[in-house]
Amino acid sequence: MSASAEEISEFTNRKYEAGFVTDIETESLPPGLSEDTVRFLSAKKGEPEWLLEYRLKAYRAWLEMDEPTWAHVRYEPIDYQAISYFSAPKSNENAPKSLAEVDPELLRVYEKLGIPLQEQEMLAGVAVDVVFDSVSVVTTFKAKLAEAGVIFSSFSEAVREHPELIKKYLGSVVPHTDNYFAALNAAVFSDGSFVFVPKGVRCPMELSTYFRINEKNTGQFERTLIVCEDNAYVSYLEGCTAPMRDENQLHAAVVELVALEDAEIKYSTVQNWYPGNEEGVGGIYNFVTKRGICKGARSKISWTQVETGSAITWKYPSCILQGDGSIGEFYSVALSNMRQQADTGTKMIHIGKDTKSTIVSKGISAGRGEQTYRGAVKILKSAEGARNYTQCDSLLIGDTAKADTVPYVEVHNASAQLEHEASTSKISDDQLFYCQQRGLDEENAVSLIVNGFCKDVFRELPMEFAVEAGKLLEVSLEGAIG
Amino acid sequence: MVAQHTEKAPELTVAALNARGRERFAALGLPSTRREAWRYFPTKALRGVDLTKAAPVAGGGVAPGVAELASADFADHVARIVCVDGRLEASLSTVDVLTAVEASLGQTSELIGTVADSDDAPLRAANEGALVAPLVLTMPANTVIDGLVEILHIATGEQVVQPRLVLALGRSAQLSVAQRFVATPAASAVTYVVNAVTEIVLDDNATLDHVEIVDEGAAAFHVNDVVARLHRDSTLRTFTATLGGGSARTAIRAELVGAGASCALDGLYIAKDRERYDHYTEMDHIVGHTDSSEYYAGIMDDRAEGSFQGLVFMREGARKSATAQMNRNLLLSQGAVANSKPQLEIDNDDVKATHGTTVGQLDELALFYLTSRGIEPTRAKAILTFGFARDAISRVRHAGLQKALTTLALNKLAGSLDLTGIDDGDLADG
């Protein structure tokens, strides 16, 4: 899986590959946030009254809340009035019906990102719901999915076509009052993805969305909702890049997963947003609320994430294990280089009997990067026979890197069994020496060892993502070694 | 000759300390569970309690029950310092061994309030505000006391006791101390508050064994806030045994400021009924080549709640340092609660740091093994539970203390398990 040295140096010389601004006319709202902004947004999207009410409720709740300060991250205060809350490609009305109709400028963007849609359609068999800024522009493979009964569409489309489902599940896992950023998202969410897999259906392909933040000064407020009915299965992939720029961009997404009886949802993320330059200028603020509920018995939710980008990451994909015998998993590789700060982890809340959870977190800190694993495992009184295994390891590269581990273990049931292990260390000199003695140079030796360190997590990723993730890690680590 | 370390002290008189402490406590108020360090230890019980005053001096001689407690053997001590309601009771103390090595037992030291900074520590500030007669034990350089010095705190009634202890060991001095908190029969039946602060300074190459035994009355509210500063090549080994008291918390902060310093914090807590025991530790590796380890074991029965928070700092200068931490919990009944929060903050890449936590029941295989040998399941459970406690106690170095702690642990577990016939001898080493 390890890339050759040439490949790495090629990557490095290219600097941040996705660093460009695409010049497509967009229709943006002037910066500022008020009830009027919320009303405008809702009207613009032709939303029903109940959704507007939901947004306004969230907005009012948000006004009453304070920005959280407990995370180990530092940043200049965000001016929420300086953010533009809506931007959509102007060609919205004559939306393309096939790739041939897609704006060639757009296609060139994807090409630069290395994800030409045609190839993806043919090679990977992956349906891509591309989010370019805020509005979904292209949705492919829809017919195939529809045949299986799977709904995979943009959020706004789902609001129009399946309002009953949205009404039923929106905010059911992450309520609009959950936290500061989730409330903001609920008030002003732009668009996102909706997946519904009906009873007994195994989604015939991996679903994938590429997010891309493009318009200057535009916060992205994605909303993703995935519902799996009884006995259904879906694997969802999310990957992101963003153009280089000097202003910090706020990204406050919300992802909600609902798994009913015997259902399984696998959610994988490769996140490579612009991390800012060596001095920590620019870069994305990634303040995301991700949570899944295992509502039905024997259901399963599995989060896998590879976080290499963003200036600041604030993200805790969590599982509420309500159904008896349900399973939650969290596999994470988080890398912070240069001046990146990552405060990430998970929460496993065991409610049902015989619920199981596994947490494997690998943090890598290099340069002046700061890394915090923050996790909670709660076993409630009702969770007879609950089981948790947690392992969180940190690897430090360079004497200015920082790594913190903050796990909470709270057990209210005597039949529970929990194990938590954590370790922090640098790359062992013995391992390095062995590799070098076998003819690898230091850089390759380090990347080999780091890849090995992350193996437990990469194994959980779908094949093509695993390869991408390995390369991404090597590129992200460039300059941190030696 | 290496110069003695001097802790920079704004030399404050007791009156000045009182004023500072009262002012800070008034500003801070009682710690709420929103403070991370107090997350698992509510102080609601202290609302309405006047923490600005120390317990009044009892008139009319020694309270009933004190003399008996003060003279009863516990763990083969060579010296015993008795404090009643926070004040030294010289007539009940035996300190000949101390005077023999020219150790001084006083009530003042420029160290008071410097190691344990009351700036952002509410109850520490309260203690400072109510400070009357601190107990200061100073060991000159190169002195060794062979044997155990016991500091016995006896509570006699419904009041607020705020003892302050300073242990200052000179270069290469060695001391083994047991700090034991008990109550007279009268005090056992009432609610009283102990808000203790312990300050420890170890000069180069000094060694201190500190064992705290919390054996307070059933309704007592006990807090001991220990702060230790470890200079070059010094060694601190603490053991906290929380075995009695309604609510009890021991916080230990160890500052490793000299290379070669080594610190081990161990503990055992056994809680039942609605008891709430909390252990908070902060291990601060400030310089390089320092070592630390922690091992805390908790057994919770009925509706008791046992908590452990272990924060380890590896500062930028802490290269070549190592730390290992372990917290193990056993829940004996539905309704019992275990909380564990081991936390690492690492700012240097050239360190080794590990921690682990387990919460669970006894090992199925071990239980099966014992039952396969014809031992009744309930008996097997009792033996293994006792073994779990004994494993922690074996970390105490002093043989007499080990034995005494084993007896206390057996007594505490007796309500939950059938331990008849089991004693330390059954499980003695070898």
Side-chain angles (χ1 to χ4, degrees), chain B residues 99-385:
Chain B
T99 33
V101 297
E102 291 177 343
S104 73
L105 195 60
Q107 297 203 330
T108 180
S109 159
E110 70 274 17
L111 292 173
I112 298 170
T114 61
V115 184
D117 182 12
S118 62
D119 197 18
D120 190 36
L123 290 190
R124 214 182 273 171
N127 178 293
E128 194 173 87
L131 204 67
V132 184
L135 188 66
V136 181
L137 177 55
T138 311
M139 296 270 295
N142 303 313
T143 53
V144 175
I145 292 179
D146 194 12
L148 181 72
V149 174
E150 190 187 328
I151 300 171
L152 181 61
H153 297 267
I154 303 171
T156 66
E158 201 175 343
Q159 48 210 355
V160 180
V161 184
Q162 308 206 54
R164 169 83 58 139
L165 172 67
V166 177
L167 297 170
L169 270 62
R171 205 157 25 82
S172 299
Q174 285 179 34
L175 179 65
S176 177
V177 165
Q179 204 180 354
R180 185 156 66 103
F181 292 86
V182 296
T184 61
S188 298
V190 297
T191 304
Y192 63 92
V193 176
V194 174
N195 176 31
V197 174
T198 306
E199 300 184 80
I200 296 170
V201 177
L202 303 183
D203 210 326
D204 295 353
N205 201 40
T207 301
L208 174 67
D209 280 283
H210 177 266
V211 176
E212 183 192 357
I213 300 135
V214 183
D215 192 17
E216 301 271 23
F221 187 97
H222 170 101
V223 172
N224 190 6
D225 188 355
V226 183
V227 185
R229 191 168 294 162
L230 282 74
H231 290 286
R232 196 181 174 91
D233 295 324
S234 63
T235 302
L236 172 66
R237 290 184 288 258
T238 73
F239 190 92
T240 307
T242 310
L243 302 165
S247 292
R249 165 186 165 98
T250 297
I252 305 179
R253 171 174 163 76
E255 300 168 359
L256 282 61
V257 298
S262 148
C263 182
L265 308 182
D266 299 327
L268 169 69
Y269 42 105
I270 303 175
K272 58 183 194 184
D273 301 328
R274 284 181 157 272
E275 287 164 348
R276 195 159 191 150
Y277 294 164
D278 184 29
H279 296 85
Y280 178 84
T281 65
E282 260 181 43
M283 189 72 76
D284 200 346
H285 291 259
I286 294 165
V287 301
H289 300 275
T290 48
D291 281 311
S292 71
S293 71
E294 288 178 63
Y295 184 95
Y296 277 82
I299 302 173
M300 274 66 72
D301 196 9
D302 304 324
R303 306 192 62 184
E305 180 164 338
S307 309
F308 170 78
Q309 280 198 66
L311 178 53
V312 178
F313 295 101
M314 284 284 184
R315 306 283 181 186
E316 274 174 39
R319 59 188 298 271
K320 304 279 181 209
S321 293
T323 180
Q325 186 187 70
M326 190 67 196
N327 176 224
R328 296 181 65 195
N329 294 282
L330 211 54
L331 295 177
L332 296 182
S333 73
Q334 280 305 347
V337 174
N339 300 311
S340 182
K341 189 186 156 214
Q343 188 177 344
L344 296 172
E345 289 202 14
I346 315 272
D347 295 344
N348 187 304
D349 70 328
D350 197 5
V351 300
K352 282 203 183 88
T354 64
H355 67 213
T357 283
T358 63
V359 182
Q361 310 82 45
L362 298 165
D363 183 1
E364 289 288 333
L365 271 177
L367 275 175
F368 175 76
Y369 176 79
L370 289 182
T371 46
S372 77
R373 294 278 159 156
I375 295 168
E376 289 289 317
T378 50
R379 183 73 175 165
K381 196 178 154 195
I383 291 171
L384 289 175
T385 306

Side-chain angles (χ1 to χ4, degrees), chain A residues 116-131:
Chain A
L117 288 177
Q118 301 97 319
E119 270 183 39
Q120 289 226 313
E121 199 169 346
M122 289 185 325
L123 291 174
V126 170
V128 182
D129 177 25
V130 180
V131 178

Side-chain angles (χ1 to χ4, degrees), chain A residues 72 384 396 398-399 402-405 407-424 426, chain B residues 36 39-40 333-334 337-347 349-350 353-361:
Chain A
H72 286 187
E384 193 73 24
L396 291 162
D399 57 4
K402 297 183 179 194
D404 298 348
T405 313
Y408 293 81
V409 177
E410 299 180 3
V411 183
H412 291 249
N413 187 301
S415 63
Q417 274 202 48
L418 278 93
E419 287 159 71
H420 171 102
E421 276 173 58
S423 73
T424 305
K426 61 173 187 172
Chain B
E36 202 55 32
R39 185 181 170 90
Y40 299 117
S333 73
Q334 280 305 347
V337 174
N339 300 311
S340 182
K341 189 186 156 214
Q343 188 177 344
L344 296 172
E345 289 202 14
I346 315 272
D347 295 344
D349 70 328
D350 197 5
T354 64
H355 67 213
T357 283
T358 63
V359 182
Q361 310 82 45

Side-chain angles (χ1 to χ4, degrees), chain A residues 174-227:
Chain A
V174 180
H176 67 275
T177 49
D178 192 77
N179 69 68
Y180 189 78
F181 299 112
L184 179 65
N185 176 287
V188 299
F189 66 84
S190 36
D191 209 331
S193 302
F194 174 69
V195 178
F196 180 83
V197 189
K199 237 179 214 180
V201 173
R202 198 180 160 86
C203 186
M205 63 191 77
E206 311 244 9
L207 302 181
S208 166
T209 297
Y210 279 80
F211 288 83
R212 185 168 172 76
I213 300 175
N214 196 287
E215 186 70 1
K216 258 195 168 187
N217 275 332
T218 309
Q220 279 241 325
F221 302 95
E222 300 292 342
R223 189 97 199 178
T224 303
L225 176 57
I226 300 177
V227 180

Side-chain angles (χ1 to χ4, degrees), chain A residues 33-79:
Chain A
L33 179 56
S34 65
E35 282 204 10
D36 289 341
T37 321
V38 177
R39 282 176 202 281
F40 172 86
L41 248 170
S42 189
K44 186 90 194 160
K45 293 170 154 296
E47 286 175 355
E49 188 61 26
W50 62 265
L51 192 52
L52 173 64
E53 278 311 311
Y54 177 80
R55 285 177 182 273
L56 288 172
K57 248 190 340 199
Y59 174 72
R60 284 167 203 146
W62 179 74
L63 286 177
E64 302 291 311
M65 293 165 114
D66 292 322
E67 206 170 321
T69 52
W70 43 261
H72 286 187
V73 294
R74 293 172 314 277
Y75 53 90
E76 293 288 312
I78 298 167
D79 183 358

